[in-house]
């Protein structure tokens, strides 16, 4: 609702506010408006401001309870939320947002069942808990368990619970639920999450995300409606069963990677329509069975250690997964290579040579967590097995924010070996487009870009996204250096980051061989 503009808008506001008891003594015309119109006005000012109008008069005392959208910030306590949700005659809620600091199972239980009865749209709950209080078992030891109610009419639920211990509802149907996201949660055993999210009780669920969870040892999902499943950091997961004939995307990340686990993780996935599979986890075909996945087009694997001990477990998981899809008609492969911060040629072997084959792909997304080391040899090794690619997306050190961790390695480091990557011929005859992210312009990175120009004779477009820590003046110097290696027919696009009061925003400039467009 607009405030109005010019003299006409000012006059309207003055007329509505006349007689509010502040001096004019006239009629209170604003309070005389019908509830539905006043509710629309209060929606524009937000929940906190709307709640403060309750002190104006008896007419306004409970008016804000009628809002169909409620947003409670951390200053709102459980009793205030409960009072708003329990008001008789209030309409269904299409939006409820709650942000709390250190909320307990008991405090959330004061209002959550009321929310389940009123909610028709989206519930977003964020419970911020200090890391020191997230130790596993704390909530269970205190005896506090949050019994999640069944949201019979809600469409979307996104709950970040701050590791509150929860129990899933044993009965009831989530008859309208399409999206469920549970983050930082400790499931109270026994947990029947799979029963709650399967088709009999969630017939229209399309997207399921479970991240950073404890206490979920067995998850079995049978869903006719699910299109996407994301599972990440499920500590203690031992068995995963998914039967989802419509599933299009499955992400399983660090759920079976517990080094202290005594038993082999087991997974059975039946998803014949699956197109995107990111299995960044333990993989052994004897216990992880994928069934018929003839439609997979995009594959993501566990990270691969470029230097290290020969029996490094993640490398074996990665290689076995690549072998499983070696002959499938993939379009895209997402692969991550990792380096330790310090390399010692007496303790660490060059492990890239164990990777002897890759699926025949058109798009390669390659992330290299280099820790300041040379990335040329490992990238060359991967590209040598990917000569059919049309597009290359390369990201370097995306998780490294410590300047010391990004420092150049010592002159005696073995990371630039073997040296054949600089001299051996490599023809990427189909590579037309390259995008490099988090570019810092280090000597190692520039050397690789120079080689790319020689390997890809048909390259048409290269995009460089500089790291946000790079200044504009430094970026311009690097741009000029890269242009000296390039060819006139290659369109070079450069992106830099500029700091603003609200964070970092991307500022694009397009640079050809002679001109930078700011």
């Amino acid at each position: 609702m607009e405030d109005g503009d010019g003299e006409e808008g000012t006059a309207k506001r003055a007329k509505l506010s006349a007689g509010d008891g502040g001096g004019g003594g006239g009629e209170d015309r604003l309070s005389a408006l019908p509830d539905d119109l006043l509710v629309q006005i209060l929606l524009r000012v937000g929940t906190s401001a709307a709640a403060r109008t309750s002190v104006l008069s008896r007419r306004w005392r409970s008016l804000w309870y009628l809002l169909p959208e409620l947003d409670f910030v951390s200053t709102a306590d459980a009793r205030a939320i409960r009072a708003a949700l329990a008001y008789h005659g209030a309409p269904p809620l299409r939006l409820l947002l709650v942000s709390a600091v250190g909320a307990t199972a008991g405090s959330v239980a004061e209002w959550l069942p009321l929310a389940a009865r009123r909610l028709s749209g989206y519930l977003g709950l964020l419970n911020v808990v200090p890391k020191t209080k997230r130790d596993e078992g704390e909530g269970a030891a205190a005896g506090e368990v949050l019994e999640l109610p069944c949201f019979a009419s809600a469409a979307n639920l996104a709950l970040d619970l701050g590791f509150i211990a929860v129990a899933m509802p044993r009965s009831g149907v989530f008859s309208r639920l399409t999206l469920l996201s549970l983050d930082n949660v400790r499931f109270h055993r026994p947990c029947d999450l799979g029963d709650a999210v399967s088709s009999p009780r969630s017939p229209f669920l399309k997207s399921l995300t479970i991240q950073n969870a404890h206490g979920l040892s067995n998850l079995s999902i049978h869903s006719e409606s699910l299109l996407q499943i994301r599972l990440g950091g499920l500590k203690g997961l031992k068995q995963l069963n998914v039967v989802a004939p419509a599933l299009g995307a499955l992400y399983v990340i660090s759920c079976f990677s517990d080094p202290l686990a005594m038993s082999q993780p087991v997974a059975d996935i039946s998803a014949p329509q699956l197109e995107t599979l990111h299995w960044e986890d333990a993989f052994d075909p004897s216990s992880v069975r994928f069934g018929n996945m003839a439609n997979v087009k995009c594959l993501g694997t566990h990270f691969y250690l470029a230097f290290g001990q020969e029996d490094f477990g993640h490398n074996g998981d990665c290689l076995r997964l690549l072998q499983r899809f070696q002959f499938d008609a993939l379009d895209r492969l997402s692969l991550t290579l990792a380096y330790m911060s310090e390399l010692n040629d007496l303790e660490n072997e060059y492990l890239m040579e164990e990777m002897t084959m890759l699926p025949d792909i058109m798009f390669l997304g390659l992330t290299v967590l280099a820790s300041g080391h040379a990335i040329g040899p490992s990238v060359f090794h991967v590209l040598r097995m990917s000569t059919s690619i049309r597009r290359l997306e390369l990201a370097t050190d995306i998780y490294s924010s410590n300047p010391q961790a990004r420092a150049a390695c010592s002159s005696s480091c073995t990371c630039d070996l073997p040296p054949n990557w600089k001299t051996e011929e490599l023809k990427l005859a189909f590579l037309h487009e390259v995008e490099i992210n988090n570019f810092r312009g280090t000597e190692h990175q520039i050397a690789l870009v120079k080689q790319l120009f020689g390997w890809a004779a048909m390259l048409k477009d290269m995009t460089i996204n500089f790291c946000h820590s790079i200044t504009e003046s430094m970026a311009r110097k690097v741009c000029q250096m890269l242009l000296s290696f390039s060819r006139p027919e290659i369109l070079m696009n450069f992106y830099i980051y500029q700091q603003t009061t609200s964070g970092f925003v991307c500022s694009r400039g397009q640079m050809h061989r002679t001109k930078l467009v700011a």
Side-chain angles (χ1 to χ4, degrees):
M1 180 177 182
E2 298 296 331
D3 289 333
D5 48 60
E7 295 181 359
E8 181 181 357
T10 303
K12 287 181 178 179
R13 290 193 297 273
K15 185 177 181 181
L16 286 173
S17 61
D20 60 359
E27 181 184 357
D28 181 359
R29 297 185 179 182
L30 184 59
S31 295
L33 294 174
D35 285 356
D36 57 350
L37 184 55
L38 291 178
V39 166
Q40 292 302 314
I41 295 173
L42 292 180
L43 274 174
R44 299 303 191 270
V45 302
T47 301
S48 296
R52 288 194 292 270
T53 64
S54 62
V55 302
L56 295 178
S57 67
R58 183 177 298 176
R59 169 79 172 89
W60 291 84
R61 185 172 301 167
S62 303
L63 191 61
W64 72 278
Y65 291 165
L66 300 178
L67 293 176
E69 298 180 1
L70 294 173
D71 181 354
F72 293 96
V73 296
S74 58
T75 55
D77 60 21
R79 287 177 297 177
I81 301 174
R82 177 183 175 85
L85 295 177
Y87 186 70
H88 180 70
L93 278 174
R94 61 179 181 239
L95 176 69
L96 175 59
L97 302 177
V98 179
S99 176
V101 177
T104 64
S107 64
V108 175
E110 286 190 43
W111 57 266
L112 196 63
L114 294 171
R117 290 197 286 270
R118 277 192 58 188
L119 190 68
S120 65
Y122 175 86
L123 168 60
L125 168 60
L126 173 61
N127 183 26
V128 180
V129 178
K131 188 176 181 180
T132 56
K133 295 184 178 181
R134 292 184 175 184
D135 295 335
E136 185 177 9
E138 180 179 339
E144 277 199 334
V145 177
L146 175 64
E147 299 282 345
L148 290 181
C150 179
F151 288 79
S153 301
N156 300 323
L157 301 175
L159 310 180
D160 185 333
L161 293 164
F163 288 103
I164 289 177
V166 302
M168 298 301 295
R170 296 184 178 274
S171 61
V173 177
F174 297 83
S175 58
R176 297 183 63 245
L177 191 65
T178 61
L179 180 150
L180 175 61
S181 176
L182 298 176
D183 201 352
N184 295 321
V185 57
R186 183 181 297 112
F187 290 103
H188 181 64
R189 297 182 177 91
C191 177
D192 48 5
L193 174 64
D195 175 67
V197 300
S198 294
S199 284
R201 296 184 58 195
S202 296
F204 299 108
L205 187 62
K206 297 185 181 303
S207 176
L208 174 66
T209 299
I210 312 293
Q211 296 186 123
N212 304 318
H214 297 166
L216 191 63
S217 60
N218 190 324
L219 180 58
S220 183
I221 302 172
H222 295 256
S223 175
E224 302 290 330
S225 60
L226 270 171
L227 302 178
Q228 177 176 283
I229 297 177
R230 289 180 176 269
L231 306 175
L234 305 190
K235 187 175 181 180
L237 185 67
K238 297 179 181 178
Q239 186 165 349
L240 173 66
N241 296 291
V242 176
V243 178
L247 192 68
L250 174 63
Y251 300 82
V252 178
I253 303 171
S254 300
C255 294
F256 294 113
S257 301
D258 186 358
L260 301 179
M262 300 300 294
S263 58
Q264 181 81 3
V266 175
D268 282 285
I269 311 297
S270 176
Q273 298 303 316
L274 197 71
E275 294 186 354
T276 298
L277 174 64
H278 277 246
W279 192 272
E280 300 177 32
D281 220 312
F283 178 75
D284 188 327
S286 66
S287 61
V288 177
R289 294 176 286 273
F290 286 146
N292 178 22
M293 288 189 176
N295 294 305
V296 171
K297 301 298 181 185
C298 177
L299 177 67
T301 75
H302 216 314
F303 74 86
Y304 189 93
L305 196 64
F307 288 85
Q309 299 299 316
E310 188 175 357
D311 58 350
F312 183 67
H314 291 331
N315 285 12
D317 295 327
C318 178
L319 294 177
R320 285 187 289 269
L321 187 65
L322 292 172
Q323 186 176 12
R324 163 63 176 79
F325 290 92
Q326 179 180 4
F327 302 108
D328 289 62
L330 301 180
D331 289 334
R332 179 185 176 94
L333 173 66
S334 295
L335 184 64
T336 298
L337 306 179
Y339 290 70
M340 293 180 292
S341 57
E342 295 184 6
L343 297 180
N344 186 320
D345 58 353
L346 299 179
E347 299 178 358
N348 299 290
E349 301 178 23
Y350 182 64
L351 303 179
M352 292 302 302
E353 293 177 348
E354 296 181 6
M355 186 183 294
T356 59
M357 61 80 196
L358 290 176
D360 188 17
I361 52 175
M362 292 188 295
F363 305 97
L364 174 63
L366 184 60
T367 299
V368 186
L369 309 179
S371 300
H373 295 292
I375 62 177
S378 58
V379 173
F380 170 77
H381 184 85
V382 172
L383 292 179
R384 185 168 54 181
M385 296 180 288
S386 309
T387 55
S388 297
I389 59 172
R390 274 72 167 167
R391 175 179 169 85
L392 170 65
E393 295 177 4
L394 176 65
T396 60
D397 285 328
I398 58 175
Y399 303 119
S400 178
S401 58
N402 184 353
Q404 293 180 348
R406 300 195 306 263
C409 54
S410 65
S411 58
S412 61
C413 184
T414 60
C415 64
D416 205 26
L417 300 175
N420 64 324
W421 76 277
K422 297 179 180 178
T423 57
E424 189 171 327
E425 184 179 17
L426 174 61
K427 292 184 178 181
L428 302 174
F430 303 98
L431 183 59
H432 290 170
E433 187 176 359
V434 173
E435 180 175 346
I436 303 178
N437 297 311
N438 208 45
F439 196 75
R440 293 187 172 89
T442 65
E443 179 182 352
H444 294 319
Q445 292 174 339
I446 291 175
L448 176 61
V449 173
K450 185 176 181 179
Q451 291 296 113
L452 279 172
F453 287 131
W455 296 334
M458 301 302 294
L459 187 63
K460 301 298 182 185
D461 194 313
M462 177 176 284
T463 297
I464 303 290
N465 297 311
F466 285 98
C467 172
H468 63 75
S469 63
I470 299 298
T471 64
E472 182 176 349
S473 60
M474 176 62 69
R476 288 179 178 272
K477 292 180 181 178
V478 174
C479 290
Q480 293 298 329
M481 184 181 301
L482 295 180
L483 287 171
S484 67
F485 304 145
S486 181
R487 300 186 297 272
E489 68 273 14
I490 300 177
L491 177 63
M492 299 292 294
N493 301 293
F494 297 94
Y495 294 79
I496 61 173
Y497 286 85
Q498 296 178 328
Q499 190 170 9
T500 66
T501 56
S502 59
F504 287 94
V505 295
C506 188
S507 173
R508 179 179 180 177
Q510 187 176 54
M511 178 179 270
H512 300 277
R513 283 185 61 83
T514 57
K515 184 178 181 181
L516 172 66
V517 179

